[in-house]
Amino acid sequence: MRIPGGGDEEEEEEAAVVSAPPQHLVFAYYITGHGFGHATRALEVVRHLIAAGHDVHVVTGAPEFVFTTEISSPNLHIRKVLLDCGAVQADALTVDRLASLEKYHQTAVVPRESILRTEVEWLNSIKADLVVSDVVPVACRAAADAGIRSLGLHLCRVCRSSWTSSSLNCVAVPAFRDVIDVPLVVRRLHKSRSEVRKELGIKDDVKVVIFNFGGQVCGASETQELPPNFIKLAKDAYTPDLMAASDCKIGYGTVSEALAYKLPFVFVRRDYFNEEPFLRNMLEVETSPQHYQCGVEMVRRDLLTGHWKPYLQRAITLDPCYDGPINGGEVAAHILQDTAVGKKYISGKLSGARRLRDAIVLGYQLQRAPGRDVGIPDWYSLSEKEIGVRPAPTYHEVNGSAESSFEDFEILHGDIQGLTDTMAFLTSLSGLVGNDPRSPEKQSRERVAASVFFDWEEEIYVARAPGRLDVMGGIADYSGSLVLQRSDPIKQKLWKHTQARQLANGGAVPLLQIVSFGSELSNRAPTFDMDLSDFMDGDKPISYGKAKEYFSQDPSQKWAAYVAGTILVLMTELGVVFTDSMSILVSSSVPEGKGVSSSASVEVASMSAIAAAYGLNIPPRDLAILCQKVENRIVGAPCGVMDQMTSACGEANKLLAMICQPAEVKELVSIPTHVRFWGLDSGIRHSVGGTDYGSVRVGTYMGRKMIKCAASDLLSESLPSCPPIQSGNTNSDEYEEHGVDLLKSEASLEYLCNLPPHRYEAVYARDIPEIITGDAFLEKYGDHNDAVTTVDPERSYCVKAPTRHPIYENFRVEAFKALLTAAKTVEQLSALGELMYQCHYSYNACGLGSDGTDRLVNLVQEVQHRKSSQDGGPSLFGAKITGGGSGGSVCVIGKNCLKSSEEIFEIQKRYKAATGYLPIVFEGSSPGAGKFGYLKIRRRST
């Protein structure tokens, strides 16, 4: 359910629902027990239903006092039962997604049949007229089995989307085909502001802050001593009264009450909450009527360290301006009454499916809009003064006025090389410069945050690094660009909160500030800052393990490890000392989670810019290896070095043939002009840090250890203590001697790809198990000898397929490279495509496939083999999943012709028709970071 938009149509709709019910009704109201939020919002609806004379049976795992302290009536019936678990939180601010799924599976999926039988019997016993679910999934199924009407009611903390002119009170689930708007659900007040303050012993002229996190972090033990200015409230204290008596709130939740009582709100970003971006966008301070000038976002690190003062000072200057309706509980109760007797409500504005797509799937849509402005705390403005900056040009505007815009910079070193993405990036950078008389309009908040921390009179370094499309190695024409400026700590321009923290800590120290454009696409914090001294442990850099813990403390800022981690690696591996401050702006058009190496491009661009700014001469190969350390040791993703090598060492229109032993470029292979490659995004997020990739890597190293041990055993059998009797058979002796040499090399095997497939099949394949448990492996072999993964004794690992894959994949890559130089025939393309298909199914055998990528590969096969294609000859010949697998993208090979492009477009449409997701297409090629070098620029004097 949602709030009405405020126009005449909505007012008529609201008036229509306030009709008296014809009879006494019985409601079964299922409420999730996750936190108090759902229960406290449903409370208002229940109260109005009971006031109308109905019976309400509340089924919940939430504490009973939430309802009984507010409602005293024989018509209220509480049934304590846990039918879902809500989200499992790693802490008060972070959802543990995997633990949530596992707990829900155990709570609601395993006992589902038993739950349904019990609930159907109970619903019939109370003679329920309507089942209401907020939002317990099994409730609606039970209602259907019992033949009772049901309704999903999801009253959220308040959120809004761009298409409505007043606040929303819910984000519903995409399965709901229609959505009804209701006003804010606000609990009534029991006491006045003065009464509450008198009871607490607080004078009227004292500023009061209420610290409330929905019961997740606010509990203090009975023996815990609090500072003199803190008051510990009772567990069942009535929050609305306390909020109305306060001057500011820190936390999240109870947003409806904060808006209704015009209470300034200091909030903290939370991860993996669908309503998070909408809430934040509405609460922040803007002049637009879509915002209510109510909130200030606090950086999580400052919350946890108690650095609250600048945020509170900012908050109490706000003037919240929400004046909309607050009777959502009453309106929702009337809708439930009418629904129970058969009246249907259909929204007149937009279809529910479309509106829900706009809200819930907004993240996917944002990922397809490069340069889209995103939310960031409004007060990320220059600490010395406010500035005016002109609107940013669109990302792809690279001609006309845009060209003159990037010419606002004088290029002191380097060459743009005609790269449109670099020209567009410089155009966008030019738009950050303040006080431009040509356009007095103010920038978006994200760009304001970036515009104020550069000194435009000083030199700025620009680096770029492309992502890669894994053909069997390659680069796609999508790049990450990065701007860096080094400055004296005393002269560095600071955001207000970083300046306040430095003043509190005794003065200016070397500081790192980062802004990441497009950060909201993954619901992460758009800015990051830290003292560079945090990377020091005495006179030495901190360990990689400590750095990993540092960046893992706040999941919304873990992304900064890819950028800031390059600094620690340079300190640790090369002994670089950083005494200056750094301001870094990251802008990437490499889509995240698509299997095209977005992380490697950011790492390589970051280290390239830092190296340029500090005069470090690091060859591309060495830079790639250093960047791999960032990902393996600081980020904690067990990736190989292929992505970083391709991003650093690649060249335009060439495939990079390399040997990852550990990282050697073998050669650059030109792509024949009659061959074309495309990348198609499946819409399924890929992560090399995920459990699938990690477990497959462990299985591969297990297989290598087994082969080495088997080779050592065979070698021992082939070398008896007594000298062999001479047989006189010279050829046999030579063979035996050669066999011993083979076993010696295989006993010390470092890389599985060096083992030829025929040797694997002839000697080792039969002894490699399909699966082995971690404890069984450790007992027999000791360790798998991989520095970036660990063997879990409680887990089972697939071994045979992960062991076989690199052995055969190396053969396929060599064959692919040789075929590229063969005659330009259909047979050549068919063979290249077949090698890609084999690679794809080898990924699947390892457990690295996904439904989406399989569907795309199957569509390529259908188009390739259909009769119409055979008549004129196929134009598409093969496809494979890319990168680390488990989602992401597929690479397609075909003829470089119009027909192939048309068929790629057809595959896009067919995939969307089947899944609802339109794949992004990647194509083209560009130089790696080594070939591009860097730009040193400075704003031209006006």
Side-chain angles (χ1 to χ4, degrees):
M1 305 190 78
R2 297 183 186 262
I3 293 180
D8 293 339
E9 290 182 11
E10 286 82 2
E11 290 176 3
E12 292 174 4
E13 182 181 23
E14 182 177 340
V17 303
V18 189
S19 56
Q23 76 252 3
H24 169 269
L25 300 169
V26 176
F27 294 87
Y29 205 136
Y30 289 80
I31 304 171
T32 180
H34 176 63
F36 291 174
H38 290 267
T40 55
R41 290 186 294 274
L43 172 65
E44 276 299 294
V45 182
V46 172
R47 188 170 66 83
H48 283 284
L49 288 173
I50 289 177
H54 305 303
D55 273 82
V56 181
H57 294 257
V58 174
V59 184
T60 185
E64 191 169 323
F65 73 80
V66 174
F67 300 92
T68 56
T69 54
E70 178 69 6
I71 303 173
S72 177
S73 170
N75 289 9
L76 173 66
H77 313 273
I78 307 293
R79 177 171 168 246
K80 289 293 293 295
V81 60
L82 186 66
L83 298 179
D84 80 332
C85 62
V88 177
Q89 295 188 213
D91 55 49
L93 302 171
T94 309
V95 169
D96 187 328
R97 293 174 293 171
L98 295 178
S100 297
L101 290 172
E102 176 60 26
K103 186 173 181 180
Y104 182 77
H105 179 76
Q106 296 300 326
T107 304
V109 178
V110 173
R112 179 178 173 82
E113 294 305 319
S114 172
I115 289 173
L116 284 173
R117 286 194 300 271
T118 301
E119 295 310 301
V120 169
E121 182 180 348
W122 177 76
L123 289 171
N124 287 326
S125 71
I126 65 169
K127 296 181 171 57
D129 296 293
L130 182 69
V131 172
V132 184
S133 174
D134 180 9
V135 174
V136 181
V138 75
C140 293
R141 178 71 263 172
D145 291 350
I148 302 169
R149 292 189 181 94
S150 65
L151 181 145
L153 183 79
H154 187 22
L155 299 170
C156 281
R157 293 170 179 79
V158 181
C159 90
R160 70 166 301 101
S161 16
S162 57
W163 44 260
T164 185
S165 60
S166 77
S167 58
L168 302 178
N169 209 52
C170 119
V171 173
V173 180
F176 298 162
R177 289 171 299 201
D178 200 63
V179 181
I180 305 167
D181 293 349
V182 300
L184 291 184
V185 176
V186 178
R187 286 173 286 174
R188 59 183 179 173
L189 296 179
H190 295 167
K191 299 175 184 177
S192 68
R193 175 185 174 94
S194 59
E195 287 175 324
V196 173
R197 284 180 169 247
K198 183 176 180 180
E199 289 180 3
L200 295 174
I202 301 173
K203 296 181 180 180
D204 289 342
D205 60 347
V206 174
K207 296 294 183 184
V208 176
V209 176
I210 181 169
F211 184 67
N212 180 284
F213 273 78
Q216 293 290 337
V217 297
C218 299
S221 67
E222 295 297 331
T223 58
Q224 184 175 355
E225 293 186 10
L226 297 176
N229 58 332
F230 277 69
I231 299 175
K232 180 185 174 184
L233 302 170
K235 185 177 181 180
D236 58 353
Y238 191 58
T239 302
D241 286 349
L242 296 165
M243 291 180 64
S246 301
D247 299 288
C248 184
K249 170 187 162 76
I250 295 179
Y252 57 74
T254 58
V255 180
S256 294
E257 282 83 2
L259 287 173
Y261 308 144
K262 295 181 171 54
L263 182 68
F265 200 127
V266 178
F267 59 93
V268 183
R269 181 181 297 262
R270 293 194 296 167
D271 307 294
Y272 307 117
F273 285 84
N274 279 341
E275 64 263 36
E276 161 84 16
F278 302 96
L279 280 165
R280 188 170 61 254
N281 194 43
M282 181 180 66
L283 289 172
E284 288 167 357
V285 181
E286 289 291 327
T287 56
S288 163
Q290 295 181 353
H291 302 261
Y292 297 111
Q293 305 185 50
C294 184
V296 173
E297 180 180 343
M298 179 187 289
V299 177
R300 184 185 304 204
R301 185 171 67 255
D302 288 339
L303 169 74
L304 299 178
T305 58
H307 183 66
W308 300 357
K309 183 177 178 180
Y311 301 94
L312 294 175
Q313 289 175 331
R314 171 65 167 161
I316 61 177
T317 66
L318 301 181
D319 184 21
C321 59
Y322 179 77
D323 289 313
I326 59 173
N327 64 328
E330 179 185 4
V331 173
H334 281 288
I335 293 174
L336 297 183
Q337 289 174 162
D338 290 346
T339 303
V341 296
K343 182 174 180 179
K344 293 185 178 180
Y345 286 82
I346 299 176
S347 173
K349 289 189 292 185
L350 289 170
S351 71
R354 176 179 170 186
R355 295 164 69 197
L356 289 167
R357 180 202 66 194
D358 290 345
I360 303 299
V361 193
L362 181 62
Y364 284 104
Q365 295 177 328
L366 284 173
Q367 290 189 61
R368 308 198 59 223
R372 171 129 184 198
D373 293 329
V374 296
I376 186 174
D378 172 70
W379 71 309
Y380 276 94
S381 54
L382 191 60
S383 59
E384 292 83 6
K385 62 182 180 179
E386 292 294 324
I387 64 169
V389 284
R390 61 180 173 168
T394 57
Y395 187 81
H396 294 292
E397 184 184 3
V398 294
N399 297 314
S401 62
E403 186 172 349
S404 64
S405 293
F406 72 74
E407 288 181 352
D408 291 344
F409 292 104
E410 179 184 4
I411 298 179
L412 306 175
H413 173 88
D415 183 6
I416 293 176
Q417 302 181 26
L419 293 167
T420 56
D421 66 294
T422 304
M423 289 189 284
F425 180 68
L426 291 179
T427 298
S428 178
L429 189 64
S430 178
L432 295 175
V433 182
N435 296 319
D436 191 321
R438 291 174 290 180
S439 180
E441 296 183 47
K442 201 168 185 178
Q443 285 271 14
S444 67
R445 294 164 294 174
E446 181 190 40
R447 297 179 63 83
V448 169
S451 67
V452 298
F453 72 173
F454 286 128
D455 184 343
W456 298 107
E457 304 304 318
E458 298 297 325
E459 295 172 352
I460 294 174
Y461 295 84
V462 179
R464 78 179 288 281
R468 63 97 188 94
L469 183 62
D470 171 24
V471 175
M472 300 247 179
I475 303 175
D477 190 19
Y478 291 80
S479 70
S481 296
L482 185 139
V483 181
L484 180 145
Q485 185 174 71
R486 57 182 289 190
S487 56
D488 187 294
I490 298 176
K491 298 180 180 179
Q492 187 182 22
K493 295 177 179 290
L494 303 175
W495 296 316
K496 289 179 181 177
H497 75 282
T498 53
Q499 183 191 50
R501 189 169 67 244
Q502 287 218 344
L503 290 174
N505 293 337
V509 295
L511 184 78
L512 172 65
Q513 294 185 134
I514 308 173
V515 172
S516 175
F517 280 2
S519 57
E520 294 266 323
L521 311 183
S522 296
N523 193 26
R524 63 170 186 262
T527 63
F528 175 83
D529 61 87
M530 66 176 291
D531 295 344
L532 288 179
S533 61
D534 290 345
F535 275 154
M536 297 299 294
D537 184 4
D539 59 351
K540 296 180 180 179
I542 63 174
S543 69
Y544 291 143
K546 287 185 178 179
K548 183 180 176 182
E549 291 177 9
Y550 179 91
F551 289 107
S552 298
Q553 290 174 355
D554 183 351
S556 70
Q557 291 190 323
K558 188 176 180 181
W559 62 269
Y562 294 101
V563 182
T566 61
I567 297 173
L568 180 61
V569 167
L570 290 172
M571 293 167 62
T572 303
E573 306 298 330
L574 302 185
V576 181
V577 177
F578 295 99
T579 56
D580 288 340
S581 293
M582 279 184 260
S583 298
I584 296 176
L585 168 63
V586 181
S587 177
S588 179
S589 60
V590 185
E592 298 176 30
K594 308 301 183 187
V596 290
S597 193
S598 57
S599 60
S601 67
V602 170
E603 292 157 358
V604 171
S606 299
M607 192 171 287
S608 298
I610 294 169
Y614 286 85
L616 306 175
N617 184 18
I618 307 175
R621 172 194 175 274
D622 295 345
L623 188 139
I625 294 174
L626 291 171
C627 289
Q628 185 197 17
K629 288 184 181 294
V630 176
E631 189 134 3
N632 286 173
R633 308 296 296 278
I634 300 176
V635 176
C639 70
V641 76
M642 177 188 72
D643 295 352
Q644 289 82 4
M645 284 290 290
T646 310
S647 186
C649 305
E651 295 185 17
N653 299 312
K654 294 181 180 180
L655 299 179
L656 185 72
M658 61 175 293
I659 302 174
C660 300
Q661 302 181 13
E664 304 296 337
V665 175
K666 191 172 181 180
E667 62 181 299
L668 289 157
V669 182
S670 296
I671 300 174
T673 56
H674 71 293
V675 176
R676 190 171 178 183
F677 297 102
W678 299 264
L680 286 171
D681 158 41
S682 69
I684 298 173
R685 189 172 181 85
H686 152 84
S687 170
V688 295
T691 54
D692 285 344
Y693 182 91
S695 65
V696 170
R697 177 168 174 142
V698 170
T700 302
Y701 275 81
M702 284 178 166
R704 188 191 68 168
K705 184 66 174 281
M706 292 175 182
I707 288 173
K708 291 174 69 174
C709 290
S712 296
D713 292 343
L714 291 171
L715 184 61
S716 298
E717 296 172 6
S718 302
L719 296 172
S721 56
C722 298
I725 300 173
Q726 297 296 325
S727 65
N729 188 333
T730 304
N731 291 334
S732 177
D733 292 343
E734 289 177 356
Y735 176 78
E736 288 180 10
E737 183 178 349
H738 180 60
V740 168
D741 290 341
L742 277 175
L743 290 173
K744 285 181 178 179
S745 67
E746 289 160 4
S748 59
L749 186 69
E750 288 193 54
Y751 302 97
L752 280 173
C753 60
N754 290 340
L755 183 66
H758 75 274
R759 283 290 295 173
Y760 169 73
E761 296 293 348
V763 182
Y764 304 108
R766 62 181 176 273
D767 295 323
I768 303 296
E770 293 286 347
I771 296 173
I772 192 171
T773 61
D775 58 352
F777 175 84
L778 293 172
E779 182 179 353
K780 184 173 183 179
Y781 297 99
D783 189 20
H784 68 323
N785 304 124
D786 180 20
V788 297
T789 60
T790 57
V791 177
D792 181 355
E794 303 298 321
R795 183 168 186 174
S796 294
Y797 293 92
C798 179
V799 178
K800 192 154 196 169
T803 302
R804 192 176 190 274
H805 177 79
I807 295 169
Y808 278 85
E809 184 70 357
N810 185 62
F811 173 79
R812 286 189 288 263
V813 170
E814 292 291 346
F816 194 94
K817 180 167 66 72
L819 279 167
L820 283 173
T821 61
K824 301 177 181 180
T825 63
V826 171
E827 288 75 18
Q828 177 210 28
L829 286 167
S830 296
L832 290 169
E834 178 60 30
L835 289 171
M836 293 177 69
Y837 284 139
Q838 288 181 18
C839 175
H840 177 79
Y841 292 113
S842 182
Y843 263 75
N844 282 0
C846 292
L848 292 175
S850 73
D851 291 341
T853 50
D854 282 350
R855 185 183 294 273
L856 285 169
V857 170
N858 290 339
L859 285 171
V860 171
Q861 291 181 10
E862 289 177 18
V863 170
Q864 176 186 357
H865 296 300
R866 65 188 177 191
K867 185 176 180 181
S868 58
S869 290
Q870 294 302 315
D871 290 344
S875 65
L876 301 181
F877 291 88
K880 64 176 283 288
I881 194 170
T882 65
S886 299
S889 302
V890 301
C891 176
V892 182
I893 187 173
K895 288 181 180 178
N896 187 9
C897 63
L898 177 61
K899 180 183 176 184
S900 62
S901 296
E902 292 172 344
E903 289 180 343
I904 290 292
F905 181 58
E906 176 192 339
I907 289 170
Q908 277 185 285
K909 292 193 296 182
R910 290 176 63 181
Y911 188 86
K912 182 181 181 182
T915 67
Y917 181 81
L918 181 67
I920 303 171
V921 176
F922 311 98
E923 57 180 327
S925 183
S926 68
K931 275 291 181 182
F932 178 79
Y934 68 92
L935 302 178
K936 182 164 67 174
I937 63 174
R938 183 169 52 206
R939 177 75 175 176
R940 295 184 189 276
S941 44
T942 56

